[in-house]
Amino acid sequence: MSASYRATYQASIDDPEAFWLAAAAAIDWITQPTRALDDSAAPLYRWYPDAELNTCFNALDRHVRDGRADQPALIYDSAMTGTTRSYSYAELLNHVARFAGALAAQGVGRGDRVIVYLPMIPEAAIAMLACARLGAVHSVVFGGFSAKELAARIVDAEPVLVVTATGGLEPGRTVEYLPIVADALASAGVELPVIVKRRKEIPVEHDWLDWDELEADAEPADPVPVAATDPLYILYTSGTTGKPKGVVRDNGGHAVAMAWSMQYIYDVGPGQVMWAASDVGWVVGHSYIVYAPLLVGATTVVYEGKPVGTPDAGAFWRVIQDHRVRVLFTAPTAIRAIRKADPDAAALARYDISSLQTLFVAGERLDPATFEWARQVLDRPVVDHWWQTETGWAICANPRGLEPLPIKPGSPSVPVPGYRLQVLAGDGSPVPAGTEGAIVLGLPLPPGTLTGLWRAGDRYLASYLSAYPGNYLTGDDGYLDDDGYLYVLGRSDDVINVAGHRLSSGAMEAAIAGHPAVAECAVIGIPDELKGDRPSGYVVLKEGADVTEAQLREELIIRVRHDIGAVAAFRDVTVVAALPKTRSGKILRKTMRQIVAGQDYPVPSTIEDPAVLDALADRLRPDRPRPPE
Ligand code: COA
Ligand code: AMP
């Protein structure tokens, strides 16, 4: 396929069946698809309903078969331990097949769920691929999440086994995982086999199963054929409420979309190196650390470290140099952190980054100042692209492998082929260019996007498909310009994006509300120079509560850290007299955000008591301009 963006996009919209059947040629099928789209259960769609494959076979075995056995598949680079280790395709396959054998010996089979709670070590990718090899469904939980968050995922996914490690390494501290896993299993009320990768840096004793012993004794397992429509993984993400949503990804559509995106969006092919500086616990890690690079025979980098402080702001440039990285994918926060630590990019002069073609960023808004800085110091295209856990791959991007389009600062460019993007007004009518509205995607979504929420079909319909029938609601507001470029303005719901990590205000509020002095509370995301947004808590105290604001703040920080995890980076607490609400009792978080950000705010017609809003505005912004009458 060699065509312009416009023609390719149009072809994907006019005849998705032909488009995605042609794209399926990138995958080795056990049973070839004769059809692409199954719309028999619309608005729930399935891709490649009559096909069979094994995702792990496509990511590993076929590359060994086709002459890539000795090529690096995965390079582990740990800035935390000073270790680098490269795994060829043959070596990675050997580990994965053996670990799959070990899982099978523990009774894991097709369709069974396995929780993977691992830091950024090669075993994370090995465990995921081993599940895929058996047709089992992995659910990876980010290592920065607390026991409570882990327990919620265990309860929902009903796994047969947990894979973990003795711990993770954060700058200046060790995070021991085993007490967290033990706590989570106890509060989920289940007893499960646990396989532990013992890290030599964290040599903790335990009575659970030892990864290395199991792998050494295991018979390599063969790939198990699965239906293209079978689930490959569940990845939990934050919604408005405290209960995470289990996004389900299939095998066939996912493999096709991953391969398509590598060629046409990232322009990375066999033998080339992609580095997604994220974490396997997030969707970026699933798609672009593990699956997509391996599906196309490229080399992926698993980086354990930070953009700054491990040891300095040259860390990213070193990794690019050492591993000849062609494409780096990271979050704008990481670039802001590097810029803050090294504004003139002096560290860059120490490294040869000539291999780098493009910097891709996603996960949060790329502010024009950060864009401009990165473009100048790197002297390469800086490509913003916009997507979410649910879609699994980019909704809007600058398709570098298809046709590099002009880059506009502040915009993730244009809809990717397959996505019928529209911006709608509240009444469901499309808004003209330049006008803000809800960003929606016409159904069906392309392959690789969620097939639904794990055992929560009704919630999927209610949360995503009911607001604008025939469309998927992204939860982001934005507008299109005259050239069809999208500008994303932010979430329309109460999801908070902290350093590119998606967190639920509801979950933080639940943690805060458990404090004995708290009558009610609201958590909103407020602008933060480094992290994009940071959570800020507003608390109404109970009558007669005997606690100082400073003491309360300390206790609430500990609570949020305990219930959600350090990654929430919750630090701000303000005691207020009352929270502004609608007559039906809904807290006016958007209005609160506008007040804190110093923006004009309309007084909602549904407000219960306008005086509460006024008092809050006086408390939070004594210098505020008066709201329009
Ligand atoms: N396991 C355990 N704890 C973790 C963790 C993990 N995997 N990841 C983060 N944490 C902890 C940190 O140790 C820190 O704890 P502390 O409060 O005790 O210091 C807390 O969570 C906040 O961490 P972080 O978000 O990393 O903030 P920071 O201030 O330590 O570092 C940056 C700032 C910019 C370096 C960091 O946010 C960063 O690397 N951002 C990039 C984000 C990213 O890649 N997002 C991926 C989305 S695509
Ligand atoms: P997650 O599901 O964690 O990937 O978070 C998805 C959300 O992050 C989106 O709905 C957006 O709100 C935000 N987001 C992701 N990428 C971008 C981007 N390039 N620009 C602006 N916001 C983004």
Side-chain angles (χ1 to χ4, degrees):
M1 204 189 311
S2 139
S4 69
Y5 160 72
R6 184 53 48 207
T8 307
Y9 180 77
Q10 209 48 52
S12 77
I13 300 305
D14 292 346
D15 193 353
E17 179 70 20
F19 186 90
W20 291 113
L21 214 43
I27 296 304
D28 262 41
W29 302 90
I30 296 165
T31 308
Q32 283 287 336
T34 64
R35 301 161 55 199
L37 182 64
D38 174 5
D39 58 5
S40 58
L44 305 177
Y45 297 86
R46 296 286 180 266
W47 289 97
Y48 311 112
D50 59 3
E52 280 185 312
L53 78 161
N54 182 279
T55 296
C56 178
F57 176 87
N58 276 275
L60 299 175
D61 306 59
R62 66 162 169 165
H63 303 311
V64 172
R65 177 196 70 193
D66 296 345
R68 299 195 172 276
D70 297 330
Q71 181 202 301
L74 184 154
I75 298 170
Y76 168 57
D77 185 309
S78 172
M80 304 305 299
T81 61
T83 324
T84 302
R85 178 165 176 199
S86 176
Y87 294 73
S88 68
Y89 268 99
E91 285 169 324
L92 192 60
L93 172 57
N94 184 34
H95 280 287
V96 168
R98 283 182 178 283
F99 190 64
L103 290 176
Q106 294 300 317
V108 175
R110 180 174 169 187
D112 288 338
R113 273 82 56 213
V114 173
I115 292 276
V116 175
Y117 187 63
L118 284 169
M120 284 295 286
I121 55 177
E123 284 74 13
I126 293 170
M128 291 163 75
L129 290 160
C131 289
R133 194 167 188 82
L134 298 176
V137 180
H138 58 72
S139 187
V140 182
V141 181
F142 174 59
F145 276 133
S146 66
K148 196 165 171 207
E149 292 283 342
L150 179 57
R153 286 151 176 80
I154 291 173
V155 167
D156 197 70
E158 297 183 307
V160 297
L161 187 141
V162 176
V163 182
T164 190
T166 47
L169 301 170
E170 285 294 296
R173 78 191 162 104
T174 297
V175 182
E176 285 200 18
Y177 280 16
L178 302 191
I180 300 174
V181 173
D183 239 27
L185 289 172
S187 61
V190 291
E191 278 184 30
L192 295 174
V194 179
I195 300 179
V196 181
K197 173 69 194 175
R198 184 186 158 97
R199 300 191 69 179
K200 67 176 186 314
E201 303 81 16
I202 312 173
V204 179
E205 296 307 319
H206 62 84
D207 298 330
W208 282 325
L209 301 162
D210 180 79
W211 174 304
D212 293 327
E213 285 172 19
L214 291 188
E215 197 190 313
D217 296 343
E219 283 297 317
D222 286 334
V224 172
V226 299
T229 52
D230 275 357
L232 170 68
Y233 68 77
I234 307 168
L235 178 58
Y236 287 87
T237 189
S238 302
T240 301
T241 67
K243 191 172 158 37
K245 296 170 171 170
V247 166
V248 180
R249 194 93 55 218
D250 63 6
N251 275 272
H254 172 256
V256 173
M258 290 294 98
W260 195 95
S261 70
M262 286 298 282
Q263 181 173 358
Y264 295 111
I265 297 178
Y266 300 100
D267 191 20
V268 175
Q272 296 175 333
V273 183
M274 176 160 201
W275 174 29
S278 176
D279 188 286
V280 286
W282 308 116
V283 69
V284 175
H286 280 63
S287 293
Y288 296 106
I289 297 175
V290 180
Y291 285 110
L294 299 177
L295 280 165
V296 301
T299 301
T300 185
V301 178
V302 171
Y303 173 69
E304 185 182 34
K306 303 275 174 180
V308 292
T310 58
D312 58 30
F316 273 25
W317 319 140
R318 175 192 65 75
V319 174
I320 293 171
Q321 167 188 278
D322 288 357
H323 309 305
R324 306 293 301 153
V325 171
R326 176 179 171 87
V327 159
L328 166 62
F329 177 166
T330 190
T333 298
I335 304 295
R336 285 195 294 271
I338 296 171
R339 179 185 177 200
K340 191 169 168 217
D342 183 13
D344 301 325
L348 198 49
R350 301 203 305 267
Y351 302 100
D352 168 10
I353 62 158
S354 54
S355 62
L356 186 72
Q357 297 286 310
T358 317
L359 168 65
F360 279 86
V361 295
E364 53 174 324
R365 180 172 171 268
L366 173 62
D367 54 284
T370 305
F371 165 81
E372 196 47 46
W373 184 84
R375 200 188 56 74
Q376 273 183 17
V377 303
L378 295 175
D379 193 22
R380 283 166 176 74
V382 174
V383 177
D384 185 11
H385 59 330
W386 167 71
W387 49 296
Q388 45 187 210
T389 306
E390 290 85 342
T391 64
W393 62 297
I395 309 167
C396 276
N398 202 305
R400 306 301 295 175
L402 186 58
E403 180 190 354
L405 298 172
I407 292 173
K408 299 194 190 190
S411 168
S413 299
V414 293
V416 166
Y419 287 100
R420 297 193 296 128
L421 185 144
Q422 281 189 293
V423 179
L424 302 182
D427 65 3
S429 60
V431 298
T435 306
E436 182 184 336
I439 313 174
V440 304
L441 306 171
L443 297 175
L445 299 176
T449 53
L450 80 172
T451 56
L453 297 180
W454 180 250
R455 291 186 179 160
D458 290 350
R459 191 176 180 197
Y460 176 51
L461 293 174
S463 307
Y464 297 98
L465 304 185
S466 63
Y468 299 98
N471 292 283
Y472 164 91
L473 182 71
T474 66
D476 282 304
D477 284 343
Y479 64 92
L480 289 162
D481 74 5
D482 290 331
D483 300 325
Y485 277 57
L486 183 74
Y487 291 77
V488 180
L489 296 168
R491 301 284 309 187
S492 56
D493 55 15
D494 298 315
V495 164
I496 306 180
N497 199 322
V498 185
H501 308 316
R502 180 166 156 185
L503 299 163
S504 145
S505 52
M508 282 187 252
E509 286 167 6
I512 294 170
H515 189 286
V518 172
E520 55 179 354
C521 63
V523 174
I524 58 172
I526 65 168
D528 182 87
E529 216 178 87
L530 178 65
K531 299 196 175 190
D533 266 349
R534 68 170 190 273
S536 189
Y538 300 88
V539 175
V540 179
L541 294 181
K542 282 185 183 154
E543 248 341 276
D546 185 18
V547 63
T548 65
E549 192 158 340
Q551 187 188 345
L552 182 71
R553 178 174 171 272
E554 285 313 307
E555 290 171 7
L556 294 182
I557 289 173
I558 292 169
R559 270 178 179 271
V560 173
R561 224 180 144 86
H562 176 268
D563 282 8
I564 295 164
V567 71
F570 179 79
R571 307 251 187 283
D572 302 350
V573 176
T574 308
V575 174
V576 297
L579 294 169
K581 290 184 192 158
T582 63
R583 282 188 288 276
S584 60
K586 197 170 169 297
I587 295 171
L588 292 164
R589 293 192 186 80
K590 183 171 178 192
T591 311
M592 291 177 69
R593 277 200 302 270
Q594 290 168 325
I595 292 174
V596 177
Q599 298 163 354
D600 285 349
Y601 58 93
V603 177
S605 57
T606 52
I607 195 161
E608 183 188 33
D609 181 358
V612 170
L613 193 60
D614 251 9
L616 186 80
D618 284 339
R619 166 92 169 84
L620 301 182
R621 289 201 66 86
D623 56 338
R624 75 192 163 108
R626 308 307 297 176
E629 287 299 313

